[in-house]
């Protein structure tokens, strides 16, 4: 077949296959155009999930009548100057309107502030209709009907009306978070109306619009993040570890105000929460990255949802470090949803209590509970002091308590209730602490504490497990990890570029106990492995590290394996369920929790304590 020039209609339909995947893609492109035009109000109407009708109306600057024909021509835009590396608008490719018009019936009606009247232009399946006068207020209205009528094969891949409507709602919410000063309305016969009034987030910590989109619970269970490194700034809010979701749909990320779904950012969030959440739970985040447009490429894909950073390692390190620092600085906090669940459980006729935090009742929790020992007291399995970790020689002497508090564990359980009551007077001074003063232990597993305005219930095994784990991690990462020499070096064949990447990170790997060196152009020799790993598949470990370095320029795979071993040690070396504790022991545990970052959850992501405010308790008894 001879080479020939494709028709303009076919070119637009090919472009539409990349830009317009579903109705939500149309809404995204049209709303971004409205925001680039300076709109303060954007109204979206859909029907049939967006396949029958999409109408976007804004009060922006409008399009002059002479430029309407250019607006629907390919690669015509008002947003891009001469420098492709200096993109400061949401749209810039000049492909959206012609692509939409090639697969639908499109009309654009617009009026500028200086115009005496409006003008309208249409395009049906790629055929342009002439410009004609129209009546309209200042701004632009874009109407899209019969989406994909010109490419019916695409209709076979559309989901149901409800799914398409939900995807459109998600797109509007994602954009709305980045533009709190703009009013958004999404309505139509195929959905319930979504109204997001304009907010002044500069006076409220930036959380009013976030609360509109993500719910009122998120601001109360979030931590502010604000950090910078080498010209890259990160701001936003992340959830405390005990406030999670079953999927990552409520992780919102923005690069220079542009909503993105970036693999690097998602991986960095997972890494930041790696040892405080279970695998099947996800943090809730709203993160804004601000950086020089020249060091980020937003032109990776026509949909503009993917970005590429010039220095991905810098961005990933900033996100992981900033979130971990924010979690550490925030102190110990319980999710408000835990108290709400407890309140519901106490009401007459309520179902059994289900915690709103991570994975309550999931198999991972059951497994963790079984690993903790029997629910009843067993002296053989639950000695009166924490299990000896057996790592004195390796620097793991810390057992989760300071030396002057450890003696409390050596003295055995309280002899009587009178002895416990004798501690009450001294405990009064502890009521002002975050976790208050220990008052009782119930079912040999739960510590009941009192603060000045709340009741706190602590899971003693989960809490001490986190304390031991943090102590082990600190000891593990504060000095080089002990290694064991292999009798014969293991030679691992790798692609030459992977071998080079591993060689560049050899000093970091050596700190974690993995000694490698180049062995020819396409191989590495492994001479030492971390002692903690014992017998391990060295070849698979090295290949996993090479893959991670290629993706993220980090060696976190090895660090995570060592942390997992430390977590297992902590689980089996902690205060067991069924262990009777003295008042001094319980208070020592509470004080250590207050001083330990991340102690609101155990190593499995299970909440370590629940707080119920006095006002809530009074409401249960009808006193309020």
């Amino acid at each position: 077949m001879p080479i020939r020039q494709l028709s303009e209609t076919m070119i637009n339909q090919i472009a539409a296959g990349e830009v317009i995947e579903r109705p939500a893609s149309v809404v995204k492109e049209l709303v971004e155009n409205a925001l680039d035009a300076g709109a303060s109000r954007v109204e979206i109407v859909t029907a049939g999930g967006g396949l029958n009708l999409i109408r976007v109306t804004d009060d922006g600057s409008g399009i002059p009548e002479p430029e309407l024909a250019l607006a629907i021509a390919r690669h015509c835009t008002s947003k891009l100057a001469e420098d492709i590396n200096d993109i400061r608008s949401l749209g810039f490719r000049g492909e959206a309107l012609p692509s939409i018009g090639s697969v639908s019936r499109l009309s654009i009606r617009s009026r500028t502030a200086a115009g005496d009247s409006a003008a309208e232009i249409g395009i049906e399946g790629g055929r342009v209709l002439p410009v004609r006068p129209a009546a309209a207020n200042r701004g632009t209205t874009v109407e899209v009907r019969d989406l994909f009528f010109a490419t019916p094969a695409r209709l076979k891949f559309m989901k149901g009306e409800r799914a398409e409507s939900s995807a459109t709602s998600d797109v509007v919410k994602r954009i709305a978070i980045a533009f709190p000063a703009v009013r958004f309305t999404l309505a139509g016969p195929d959905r319930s109306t979504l109204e997001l009034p304009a907010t002044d987030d500069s006076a409220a910590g930036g959380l009013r619009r976030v609360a509109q989109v993500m719910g009122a619970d998120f601001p109360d269970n979030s931590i502010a993040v604000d950090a910078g490194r080498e010209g890259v700034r990160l701001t936003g809010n992340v959830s405390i570890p005990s406030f999670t979701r079953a999927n990552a749909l409520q992780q919102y990320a923005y690069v220079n105000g542009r909503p993105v779904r970036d693999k690097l950012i998602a991986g960095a969030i997972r890494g930041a929460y790696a040892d405080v959440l279970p695998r099947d739970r996800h943090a809730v985040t709203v993160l804004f990255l601000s950086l020089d447009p020249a060091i980020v490429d937003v032109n990776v894909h026509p949909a503009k949802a993917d970005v590429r950073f010039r220095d991905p390692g810098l961005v990933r390190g900033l996100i992981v470090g900033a979130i971990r620092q924010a979690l550490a600085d925030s102190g110990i906090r319980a999710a408000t949803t835990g108290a709400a669940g407890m309140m519901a459980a106490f009401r007459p006729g309520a179902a059994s209590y289900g915690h709103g935090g991570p994975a309550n009742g999931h198999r991972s929790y059951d497994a963790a509970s079984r690993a903790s020992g029997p629910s009843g007291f067993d002296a053989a399995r639950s000695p009166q002091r924490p299990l000896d970790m057996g790592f004195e020689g390796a620097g793991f002497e810390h057992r989760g308590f300071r030396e002057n508090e450890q003696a409390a564990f050596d003295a055995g359980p309280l002899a009587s209730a009178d002895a416990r009551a004798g501690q009450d007077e001294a405990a009064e001074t502890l009521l002002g602490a975050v976790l208050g003063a220990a008052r009782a232990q119930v079912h040999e597993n739960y510590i009941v504490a009192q603060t000045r305005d709340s009741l706190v219930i602590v899971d003693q095994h989960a809490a001490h497990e986190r304390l031991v784990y943090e102590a082990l991690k600190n000891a593990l990462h504060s000095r080089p990890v002990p290694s064991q020499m292999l009798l014969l070096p293991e030679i691992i064949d790798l692609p030459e570029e992977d071998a080079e990447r591993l060689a560049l990170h050899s000093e970091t790997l050596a700190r974690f106990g993995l000694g490698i060196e180049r062995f020819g152009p396409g191989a590495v020799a492994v001479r030492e492995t971390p002692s903690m790993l014992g017998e391990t598949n060295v070849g698979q470990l090295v290949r996993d590290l090479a893959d991670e370095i290629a993706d993220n320029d980090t060696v976190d795979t090895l660090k995570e394996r060592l942390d997992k071993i430390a977590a297992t040690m902590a689980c089996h070396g902690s205060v067991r369920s069924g262990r009777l504790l003295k008042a001094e022991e319980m208070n020592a545990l509470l004080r250590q929790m207050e001083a330990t970052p991340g102690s609101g959850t155990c190593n499995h992501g299970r909440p370590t304590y629940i707080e119920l405010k006095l006002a809530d308790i009074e409401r249960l008894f009808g006193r309020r």
Side-chain angles (χ1 to χ4, degrees):
M1 181 180 294
I3 298 174
R4 61 187 178 88
Q5 176 72 44
L6 294 176
S7 68
E8 188 69 18
T9 298
M10 188 171 292
I11 291 172
N12 286 338
Q13 288 178 347
I14 292 172
E18 296 180 314
V19 180
I20 311 303
E21 299 176 359
R22 60 195 307 185
S25 305
V26 176
V27 173
K28 172 182 178 294
E29 296 293 342
L30 298 183
V31 171
E32 287 181 349
N33 282 346
L35 295 171
D36 283 339
S40 61
R41 175 179 52 83
V42 179
E43 298 176 357
I44 307 107
V45 176
T46 65
L51 293 172
N52 298 339
L53 169 69
I54 297 173
R55 183 189 302 122
V56 177
T57 304
D58 67 69
D59 61 350
S61 58
I63 305 172
E65 180 179 343
E67 297 181 8
L68 278 175
L70 284 175
I72 58 173
R74 280 175 57 79
H75 306 309
C76 294
T77 180
S78 62
K79 306 168 187 178
L80 187 63
E82 297 298 326
D83 188 1
I84 188 66
N85 296 316
D86 189 24
I87 297 172
R88 300 180 183 273
S89 57
L90 296 175
F92 60 90
R93 298 175 63 96
E95 287 187 316
L97 291 176
S99 296
I100 296 170
S102 69
V103 295
S104 68
R105 308 183 201 278
L106 171 71
S107 68
I108 304 173
R109 185 167 60 253
S110 188
R111 178 180 176 180
T112 63
D116 296 330
S117 62
E120 182 176 4
I121 192 172
I123 178 172
E124 292 189 3
R127 182 171 63 89
V128 179
L129 304 177
V131 178
R132 60 181 183 270
N137 296 325
R138 183 177 71 89
T140 303
T141 297
V142 181
E143 190 172 283
V144 180
R145 292 186 178 272
D146 302 329
L147 185 62
F148 299 127
F149 88 95
T151 54
R154 177 61 66 89
L155 292 172
K156 299 177 182 178
F157 296 93
M158 295 298 104
K159 298 181 180 179
E161 181 177 304
R162 180 175 296 182
E164 298 299 340
S165 297
S166 176
T168 299
S169 298
D170 182 63
V171 164
V172 174
K173 290 176 181 177
R174 285 185 179 274
I175 296 175
I177 287 178
F179 295 87
V182 178
R183 177 185 178 87
F184 292 86
T185 304
L186 176 60
D190 57 346
R191 66 175 65 251
S192 57
T193 301
L194 171 68
E195 291 192 20
L196 301 174
T199 63
D200 180 13
D201 280 4
S202 61
L207 293 180
R208 288 181 178 174
R209 172 55 59 83
V210 171
Q212 289 177 354
V213 173
M214 304 176 66
D217 284 340
F218 177 69
D220 294 334
N221 294 280
S222 68
I223 305 165
V225 175
D226 191 344
R229 186 184 301 174
E230 298 181 27
V232 182
R233 176 100 183 275
L234 177 70
T235 59
N237 289 76
V238 298
S239 63
I240 60 177
S242 53
F243 185 83
T244 61
R245 291 290 182 266
N247 55 49
L249 292 179
Q250 286 204 321
Q251 291 182 355
Y252 297 91
Y254 303 84
V255 176
N256 290 341
R258 179 189 306 279
V260 298
R261 294 180 180 271
D262 187 73
K263 182 178 69 172
L264 182 144
I265 296 175
I269 294 172
R270 283 196 305 272
Y273 283 89
D275 60 354
V276 295
L277 296 184
R279 290 184 178 274
D280 55 351
R281 303 298 294 185
H282 301 267
V284 183
T285 62
V286 180
L287 296 175
F288 298 88
L289 278 167
S290 302
L291 65 167
D292 187 342
I295 61 175
V296 57
D297 183 5
V298 299
N299 196 26
V300 177
H301 188 274
K304 305 183 295 295
D306 297 325
V307 295
R308 294 291 182 272
F309 299 100
R310 180 177 295 177
D311 189 348
L314 168 66
V315 175
R316 188 182 192 281
L318 173 62
I319 295 173
V320 173
I323 293 177
R324 287 182 175 174
Q325 187 62 46
L327 293 175
D329 293 344
S330 68
I332 183 169
R333 289 173 57 184
T336 59
T337 51
M342 183 185 291
M343 288 281 291
F346 278 128
R347 292 190 179 97
S352 60
Y353 170 61
H355 188 269
N360 185 54
H362 285 210
R363 294 177 63 86
S364 60
Y365 275 30
D366 297 337
S369 178
R370 286 194 296 271
S372 303
S375 58
F377 178 74
D378 183 345
R381 294 173 60 92
S382 301
Q384 294 304 316
R385 58 178 291 130
L387 294 181
D388 188 347
M389 299 303 296
F391 285 95
E392 288 81 354
F396 295 124
E397 298 88 348
H398 187 90
R399 295 184 176 85
F401 292 88
R402 293 186 292 271
E403 291 181 2
N404 60 334
E405 295 165 339
Q406 182 61 49
F409 278 94
D410 299 331
L414 281 175
S416 67
D418 291 339
R420 188 184 298 262
Q423 305 295 325
D424 287 351
E425 184 175 351
E428 289 296 326
T429 60
L430 300 176
L431 293 180
V434 174
L435 296 180
R439 294 303 193 188
Q441 182 189 26
V442 295
H443 295 292
E444 290 80 39
N445 189 49
Y446 300 101
I447 298 170
V448 179
Q450 174 189 348
T451 71
R452 298 195 189 281
D453 64 350
S454 65
L455 175 74
V456 177
I457 302 176
V458 178
D459 182 332
Q460 66 187 38
H461 171 75
H464 193 237
E465 182 180 358
R466 167 59 67 175
L467 301 182
V468 175
Y469 175 50
E470 292 298 328
L472 284 171
K473 275 203 313 180
N474 290 338
L476 184 65
H477 300 307
S478 62
R479 68 199 74 185
V481 174
S483 61
Q484 59 184 5
M485 182 77 71
L486 297 182
L487 185 61
L488 294 175
E490 187 159 344
I491 310 302
I492 312 297
D493 292 322
L494 296 166
E496 186 171 351
E497 58 272 17
D498 284 346
E500 179 65 27
R501 293 188 189 103
L502 287 168
L504 291 175
H505 286 77
S506 59
E507 291 186 8
T508 302
L509 294 172
R511 279 200 311 111
F512 288 108
L514 184 66
I516 65 170
E517 59 185 43
R518 290 295 295 271
F519 192 80
V524 296
V526 180
R527 301 187 180 278
E528 296 176 321
T529 60
S531 301
M532 291 177 65
L533 292 182
E535 293 187 11
T536 187
N537 186 336
V538 178
Q540 187 61 50
L541 173 62
V542 170
R543 292 185 178 91
D544 288 347
L545 286 168
D547 290 342
E548 181 167 1
I549 293 171
D551 284 343
N552 302 316
D553 198 31
T554 68
V555 293
D556 284 350
T557 294
L558 181 55
K559 178 178 179 295
E560 288 171 2
R561 290 198 182 189
L562 298 177
D563 286 348
K564 186 176 181 181
I565 293 174
T568 302
M569 295 177 182
C571 184
H572 293 282
S574 306
V575 177
R576 298 292 192 179
S577 299
R579 161 84 183 276
L580 283 172
L581 299 179
K582 296 173 63 176
E584 295 92 338
E585 296 174 323
M586 292 187 286
N587 279 311
L589 183 65
L590 299 181
R591 302 291 78 77
Q592 284 293 96
M593 288 177 65
E594 293 166 351
T596 302
S599 60
T601 59
C602 74
N603 312 340
H604 311 287
R606 184 161 54 103
T608 58
Y609 77 99
I610 295 172
E611 183 177 15
L612 190 61
K613 293 295 184 181
L614 180 60
D616 294 331
I617 299 174
E618 290 176 339
R619 273 195 292 270
L620 285 172
F621 287 96
R623 299 172 66 93
R624 284 200 174 198

